Amino acid sequence: MEKRIYNFSAGPAVLPEDVLKEAQENLFTLPGVGMSILEISHRSKAFDKIIDEAKSDLRSLLNINNNYEILFLQGGASLQFSMVPLNLMPPKNKADYILTGSWSKKALKEAKRVGTVNVAASTEAETFNRIPDQSELKLDPDAAYVHFTSNNTIYGTEWQNEPEVGNVPLVCDASSDILSKKIDVNKYGLIYAGAQKNMGPSGVTLVIIRKDLVERSSDSLHTMLNYKIQVENASLYNTPNTFGIYIIGLVAKWLIKNGGLDAMHKTNKEKAALLYKCIDDSKGFYKGHAVPDSRSLMNVTFRLATEELEKKLILEATAAGFDGLKGHRSVGGLRASIYNAFPKKGVEELVKFMKEFQAKNS
Ligand SMILES: *Cc1c(COP(=O)(O)O)cnc(C)c1O
């Protein structure tokens, strides 16, 4: 088999090698089934087992109690930008949004089509280089919900703790840090995450929703956009992304086998610390985008003195087997995405490469 390179892509992103191998091994025939996961009915016993196990393994990893429903939907995290306000905003028709990056802005744009949106805080004036303090939040105690983005994939900032929002349901886009650490799900009304960053392939979106919020969905909503109908049909109103759900299930089992989310968080902190130390020790050769107390463990963003130098680094890094380091087109610079499945050894090797690059170019 051809050698794998280091994949720093922001998403779709690196998956655990064990998961890829198991999927490959079982792709021709699922053990005991005699057919591939790509060929079986979503209404079959075999698939029931796959989806039920994926749900129960996610429940155990994140300590999700029976007061919450788990859905696997399609349309990406981006469709949740619409489904959240369509289902949860009425009858109050007002919600709070905390803006910490491009994805929060896109979520806000869709919410505005449904009702009145209060921007509870924004760090856009500082090019989204930090997470706002609790004291900066101008929350409406009567809002239908508060929406925030737990990890800002493009800018490389991450909430260290979720905002305190009192009794208003907290809604979180956790696309790029879901399963990277333990969170207290009981603090949330709804969590959604596209799978392709830290959990599986593209084309499937995890939604964790508190049961009382499911009751908000109006019968007048289009069927496919209605959480209540999706819950009543256990994500099988229509054909779901069966392969995507299968891979999420394998990733969940891989996480459990490797010590769960506390063990994962510990490794994630170690990996990120290596890169941030390299940036901080570089005497300004590398400039981190995020302010230190808002730094993301998942996406490490930084710049060099000139775009020319950045291009040179990306070119040489690609040649050396480090792929996907180019920053998002909207902010430029560099970004190393180091999700759960990214090996620590790859971070160590990137740091070594960055030090050598600095020595040669300063
Ligand atoms: C990637 C990403 C999205 C968009 O996800 P799609 O599945 O492509 O719609 C939304 N929010 C965050 C935080 C992301 O990282």
Side-chain angles (χ1 to χ4, degrees):
M1 205 190 293
E2 203 175 320
K3 186 176 171 279
R4 281 169 61 81
I5 60 172
Y6 288 121
N7 175 10
F8 290 92
S9 167
V14 58
L15 283 164
E17 291 195 356
D18 291 349
V19 166
L20 294 175
K21 283 182 184 153
E22 184 172 348
Q24 182 191 37
E25 213 164 275
N26 293 342
L27 190 66
F28 196 65
T29 54
L30 274 173
V33 180
M35 297 175 279
S36 165
I37 177 66
L38 298 174
E39 303 165 300
I40 62 171
S41 165
H42 59 298
R43 314 242 176 245
S44 63
K45 281 249 151 43
F47 188 71
D48 278 349
K49 186 164 178 282
I50 286 169
I51 193 169
D52 289 347
E53 276 186 28
K55 277 191 213 170
S56 68
D57 287 341
L58 289 172
R59 272 195 199 279
S60 90
L61 280 167
L62 280 166
N63 256 319
I64 306 170
N65 67 41
N66 288 330
N67 199 24
Y68 289 82
E69 300 283 356
I70 296 178
L71 296 171
F72 297 107
L73 304 181
Q74 300 190 56
S78 298
L79 188 60
Q80 296 309 307
F81 297 164
S82 300
M83 278 181 76
V84 165
L86 285 169
N87 284 268
L88 304 188
M89 239 207 253
K92 288 180 175 170
N93 290 321
K94 56 175 186 171
D96 287 352
Y97 276 68
I98 305 173
L99 299 192
T100 51
S102 317
W103 296 116
S104 330
K105 278 179 79 178
K106 286 189 174 169
L108 167 110
K109 184 175 166 209
E110 302 308 320
K112 277 185 174 166
R113 300 179 201 275
V114 180
T116 307
V117 180
N118 166 46
V119 176
S122 169
T123 52
E124 187 166 20
E126 294 133 278
T127 52
F128 293 125
N129 67 352
R130 66 180 186 92
I131 299 298
D133 283 335
Q134 180 69 32
S135 62
E136 293 172 71
L137 306 183
K138 300 209 167 45
L139 298 168
D140 172 0
D142 193 39
Y145 60 86
V146 181
H147 180 283
F148 81 111
T149 313
S150 53
N151 182 71
N152 299 283
T153 327
I154 294 173
Y155 292 91
T157 61
E158 185 174 15
W159 290 74
Q160 312 299 312
N161 298 107
E162 55 280 284
E164 296 293 336
V165 295
N167 290 325
V168 177
L170 184 60
V171 173
C172 178
D173 175 358
S175 294
S176 51
D177 67 350
I178 186 99
L179 301 177
S180 68
K181 60 183 175 192
K182 266 208 186 119
I183 51 167
D184 182 359
V185 172
N186 296 313
K187 290 187 174 166
Y188 297 77
L190 187 150
I191 298 168
Y192 63 91
Q196 72 273 21
K197 311 278 164 63
N198 207 20
M199 204 164 38
S202 59
V204 54
T205 306
L206 174 70
V207 175
I208 302 165
I209 180 171
R210 211 171 63 205
K211 281 182 178 162
D212 62 299
L213 294 180
V214 176
E215 296 309 315
R216 287 197 192 175
S217 301
S218 155
D219 291 341
S220 66
L221 285 171
H222 286 239
T223 306
M224 283 296 290
L225 301 179
N226 187 319
Y227 287 133
K228 198 170 171 189
I229 292 176
Q230 295 289 0
V231 165
E232 283 165 3
N233 289 276
S235 307
L236 300 174
Y237 177 81
N238 76 327
T239 320
N241 179 347
T242 47
F243 182 72
I245 295 167
Y246 166 71
I247 298 290
I248 290 179
L250 294 187
V251 169
K253 287 197 192 304
W254 176 80
L255 287 167
I256 291 168
K257 199 178 114 197
N258 286 284
L261 300 191
D262 283 338
M264 204 44 65
H265 190 202
K266 183 172 171 281
T267 315
N268 286 334
K269 281 191 283 196
E270 289 166 3
K271 289 188 307 191
L274 289 171
L275 267 171
Y276 287 122
K277 183 169 188 310
C278 171
I279 290 168
D280 292 343
D281 287 352
S282 76
K283 301 201 165 66
F285 185 80
Y286 298 111
K287 286 184 275 293
H289 178 72
V291 307
D293 65 2
S294 295
R295 283 171 166 176
S296 166
L297 298 186
M298 299 281 99
N299 313 96
V300 178
T301 49
F302 57 99
R303 304 214 65 144
L304 278 81
T306 64
E307 278 184 34
E308 226 176 298
L309 208 52
E310 289 170 349
K311 275 196 192 130
K312 186 166 184 240
L313 188 148
I314 290 164
L315 213 70
E316 291 181 17
T318 308
F322 305 104
D323 194 72
L325 285 169
K326 196 171 184 306
H328 190 271
R329 60 191 183 277
S330 62
V331 292
L334 289 101
R335 170 175 55 177
S337 297
I338 47 173
Y339 300 114
N340 285 348
F342 193 92
K344 190 171 173 189
K345 183 160 180 289
V347 178
E348 289 163 354
E349 289 189 18
L350 177 65
V351 166
K352 187 165 163 266
F353 170 88
M354 283 170 65
K355 284 187 178 156
E356 284 167 9
F357 185 85
Q358 178 175 359
K360 276 186 282 181
N361 292 280
S362 55

